[in-house]
Amino acid sequence: MTGERARGAILYSTAGALVAGGATWWVLAAPPEEPADQASRWRAAVEQQLPDVDGQADAKTASLAAGSEETLESFVDTGSYLVSLVCRGGPDSFVRVSLSRTGNDSGLGVRCSENLPPDSFEVGLGGVMRMTVMVGDEGPVVFRYSLQRVPR
């Protein structure tokens, strides 16, 4: 009987040690609380600098690669809106933002490499806003915009 008890004690002790080791590994292998990569820090920065607010018509954040072009759309009621935009990226990074559908406007250049305040401008919209964002040769960047209706 003593041999069986000893084998049982060894078996349970070994199982307990494996469970404790697994739990320790799991805790130590957990991802860090703060964003580890630069793009996550840029995203947090633009969302803090241009936060969601009550009454805004729309807001979006996009991560964009160097040299890329993306069209962002917002469906809104007809009226005047304040468009605010901000960008973060590496050294010498910038985006060019255009609201023209025909390509006749050269767009607004927004520097991403500096800690600049958001750019804002007023625009009249008729149901949809299409914004084309073109990233320069340096990237990636994180771009954010928000729309707020201008009271009349």
Side-chain angles (χ1 to χ4, degrees):
M1 193 98 167
T2 305
E4 286 183 35
R5 284 188 168 188
R7 276 186 268 159
I10 291 171
L11 180 63
Y12 287 123
S13 296
T14 303
L18 286 173
V19 168
T24 301
W25 171 80
W26 185 1
V27 169
L28 294 176
E33 295 275 333
E34 295 198 17
D37 65 341
Q38 187 65 43
S40 295
R41 287 192 290 273
W42 291 336
R43 178 176 287 275
V46 298
E47 289 176 350
Q48 180 182 20
Q49 206 170 8
L50 197 56
D52 287 334
V53 294
D54 289 338
Q56 74 186 20
D58 197 13
K60 289 184 181 144
T61 304
S63 296
L64 306 167
S68 67
E69 181 176 315
E70 185 165 334
T71 300
L72 305 169
E73 290 186 337
S74 293
F75 296 93
V76 295
D77 294 331
T78 299
S80 293
Y81 289 85
L82 180 66
V83 180
S84 299
L85 24 112
V86 66
C87 183
R88 288 292 168 268
D92 300 323
S93 60
F94 70 94
V95 296
R96 186 154 295 282
V97 179
S98 175
L99 297 180
S100 174
R101 292 179 68 175
T102 61
N104 290 336
D105 98 54
S106 64
L108 170 68
V110 179
R111 294 208 93 26
C112 303
S113 59
E114 301 167 16
N115 193 14
L116 298 172
D119 283 318
S120 297
F121 56 90
E122 194 172 319
V123 64
L125 298 174
V128 65
M129 181 199 67
R130 284 182 189 84
M131 178 184 299
T132 303
V133 181
M134 295 160 280
V135 182
D137 293 335
E138 301 297 324
V141 301
V142 176
F143 175 81
R144 178 167 173 82
Y145 78 91
S146 72
L147 287 175
Q148 287 187 304
R149 181 126 190 185
V150 176
R152 294 287 171 183

